[in-house]
Amino acid sequence: MRPRWRRGGDGNVHSASTRPPTRAATPPGYVKDVLSSLAARWQLISEPVPRYRDMPPVIDGVRILILAMVLITVPLADPHPGVGARGIAIAVALGISAVAWIAMMWAQNRPGLYVAALVVMAAAGGTLAGLSEFNTAIAVGCVVTSSAGVRLPTETSLAIAAETVAAFLVAGLITGETSSTLVGGPAAYLGLWAFGLTRRAYLLRAEQAEQALEQARRAHAAESQAAALAERARIAREIHDVLAHSLAAVSVNLQAAEGLLGSLPDDSPGLAKAIECVERAGAFTREGLAEARRAILALRDGSGPQAPRPLAEQLKSLTDEYRTDGDMAVDFRATGATRPVGAEADLTAYRTAQEALTNARKHAPGQPVSLSLEFTPDDLTVQVVNPLPPPDAAGPLANAGAGYGLTGLRERAALGGGTLTAGPEDGRWRVCLRIPAGAMRA
């Protein structure tokens, strides 16, 4: 009788067919997901925490000493390695333990190899302790369990400790060890594993405390920087609202005074001198406005509608102004490859030159002054030098001012990362400002 066929879902299917059903196709990406999961699990297992660089160097010395003791004393026990079946097993276990021990010490910063060395060392060390009659053989398993407890996650270190205990018990039961030995070995292994866990918890807490301290330092530094920027912005607003507006009002009034003086008869006594004084006061006011804008630009971290002129041009204009007044001879020289200068360093250099020239006019009137600007790969140097006046040749402006100009310049230089020196040298008064290249970047 011919077998009957029935209509299946995808074609004719024999009703009595014994063929196994077709296995479902593997979903796309399944193998990749499995491999990724295994890789992540292995990384979790093999990641040694805390880091090896946190371990005291003396630990390596102690481990080397223990390995030497094991290699020297175990061959002295009976049976000797290589004699009989048990001796051969001892020799093999001892050799594998030594090689795995050395590999473990060499692979401290190689997580995968470190865990693999501990696994091999656990099996070989536990077996060696169960086969050998000499007590130092147990040291291999003790080092394995303590090292695993310190540097590996709890689940991984527990598995390695269990492997060590199992290898010891199997070898001990085969060789007929006493019950006290069979109990004492695992107790030592598990005790050192627990000690390793305690040490690991301590190191992790210390590392977390160090990270928290570093985060606190960064937060404090960020808060300090934010407070400094807010204070700079406040000072910039005050300069803009008070000084700049006041100077602008003075400038307008001077222009009005100049216009009124111009309407007077030309034969008025002292008219020309008054007009000249008003014009000079107007020039000083405009210069003050420009400097106020420059100060605001520096306080605002260089943000502004217009970038300042190169420092060399600013210093040249400054010396031209002092030279135009006619009461002092000023020489300016710029050397080195000119580089962009940040707003704060630019203002510090300009203020230093301005204060030094003013002091030369006050304390050494009529003496020649030399202003130099030097760019080097390492720093920027502004230097003002003038001969010291005779003791009885004090100028009329020598006692003007509060006497804190150089003090303020030193403070300004220190805040900008530079240094300022001022004092007599070889019959001359010398003011020198140095700003490192790292502090003068725009």
Side-chain angles (χ1 to χ4, degrees):
M1 184 176 181
R2 295 183 63 186
R4 292 179 300 172
W5 298 81
R6 64 181 176 86
R7 190 75 176 177
D10 295 329
N12 295 329
V13 180
H14 197 285
S15 60
S17 175
T18 59
R19 292 179 299 172
T22 303
R23 187 170 58 182
T26 302
Y30 175 78
V31 176
K32 182 178 179 181
D33 294 341
V34 170
L35 294 177
S36 300
S37 176
L38 291 175
R41 184 179 296 274
W42 172 251
Q43 183 176 3
L44 177 64
I45 291 175
S46 62
E47 183 65 27
V49 178
R51 301 180 300 275
Y52 174 66
R53 63 175 178 268
D54 296 329
M55 302 296 181
V58 71
I59 292 180
D60 281 341
V62 173
R63 286 174 176 171
I64 294 174
L65 179 61
I66 295 175
L67 176 60
M69 292 174 58
V70 171
L71 293 176
I72 293 173
T73 57
V74 169
L76 300 177
D78 190 23
H80 297 289
V83 179
R86 185 175 177 180
I88 293 174
I90 290 176
V92 172
L94 180 61
I96 295 176
S97 298
V99 173
W101 192 313
I102 295 173
M104 181 266 295
M105 294 184 62
W106 178 75
Q108 297 284 3
N109 292 318
R110 297 171 175 82
L113 184 58
Y114 182 82
V115 174
L118 283 181
V119 170
V120 174
M121 192 174 167
T127 302
L128 177 64
L131 295 174
S132 177
E133 296 287 344
F134 213 84
N135 290 334
T136 56
I138 201 174
V140 179
C142 292
V143 170
V144 170
T145 54
S146 61
S147 299
V150 171
R151 300 199 62 206
L152 298 180
T154 303
E155 295 81 1
T156 308
S157 62
L158 177 60
I160 292 177
E163 178 192 4
T164 308
V165 171
F168 174 81
L169 291 176
V170 170
L173 291 174
I174 293 175
T175 57
E177 293 287 351
T178 63
S179 58
S180 61
T181 302
L182 294 177
V183 173
Y189 293 149
L190 294 177
L192 285 172
W193 172 69
F195 168 77
L197 291 181
T198 304
R199 174 67 178 170
R200 171 186 170 83
Y202 167 77
L203 293 176
L204 285 176
R205 284 196 298 270
E207 186 173 353
Q208 291 171 357
E210 182 179 353
Q211 292 176 354
L213 180 61
E214 181 62 25
Q215 292 176 356
R217 288 174 180 170
R218 292 179 181 177
H220 179 70
E223 291 176 359
S224 299
Q225 184 178 8
L229 292 176
E231 181 64 14
R232 289 164 65 109
R234 186 191 68 81
I235 296 173
R237 290 193 300 269
E238 292 297 326
I239 292 176
H240 180 271
D241 294 341
V242 178
L243 182 59
H245 288 174
S246 300
L247 289 176
V250 172
S251 178
V252 170
N253 283 275
L254 286 173
Q255 293 176 7
E258 184 179 359
L260 293 175
L261 289 173
S263 64
L264 296 177
D266 295 338
D267 55 353
S268 298
L271 177 60
K273 186 64 176 179
I275 293 177
E276 181 182 353
C277 291
V278 170
E279 290 177 349
R280 180 175 295 183
F284 288 157
T285 304
R286 288 189 293 272
E287 180 183 349
L289 282 170
E291 292 177 2
R293 294 189 185 97
R294 188 182 298 114
I296 294 172
L297 180 66
L299 290 171
R300 293 289 188 179
D301 290 331
S303 61
Q306 295 180 348
R309 292 183 300 163
L311 180 59
E313 292 185 11
Q314 297 180 53
L315 296 183
K316 186 177 184 306
S317 299
L318 181 64
T319 55
D320 290 342
E321 293 174 4
Y322 276 84
R323 193 181 301 114
T324 302
D325 290 340
D327 57 352
M328 60 188 305
V330 185
D331 175 58
F332 173 69
R333 183 179 70 259
T335 59
T338 303
R339 301 197 305 275
V341 180
E344 187 168 351
D346 178 280
L347 186 59
T348 300
Y350 184 85
R351 289 289 188 231
T352 299
Q354 187 181 47
E355 179 69 18
L357 291 176
T358 301
N359 287 343
R361 170 184 285 174
K362 289 164 52 177
H363 300 286
Q367 299 290 337
V369 182
S370 173
L371 170 61
S372 63
L373 171 66
E374 181 181 7
F375 287 94
T376 66
D378 298 328
D379 55 21
L380 173 150
T381 303
V382 175
Q383 186 170 247
V384 180
V385 180
N386 62 271
L388 290 173
D392 55 349
L397 300 177
N399 296 323
Y404 294 106
L406 291 177
T407 302
L409 290 181
R410 289 191 181 95
E411 295 172 351
R412 183 190 291 271
L415 290 174
T419 57
L420 184 134
T421 58
E425 181 180 313
D426 298 331
R428 300 181 301 172
W429 183 267
R430 178 173 174 268
V431 178
C432 182
L433 168 71
R434 284 190 173 90
I435 301 177
M440 58 178 283
R441 293 190 180 96

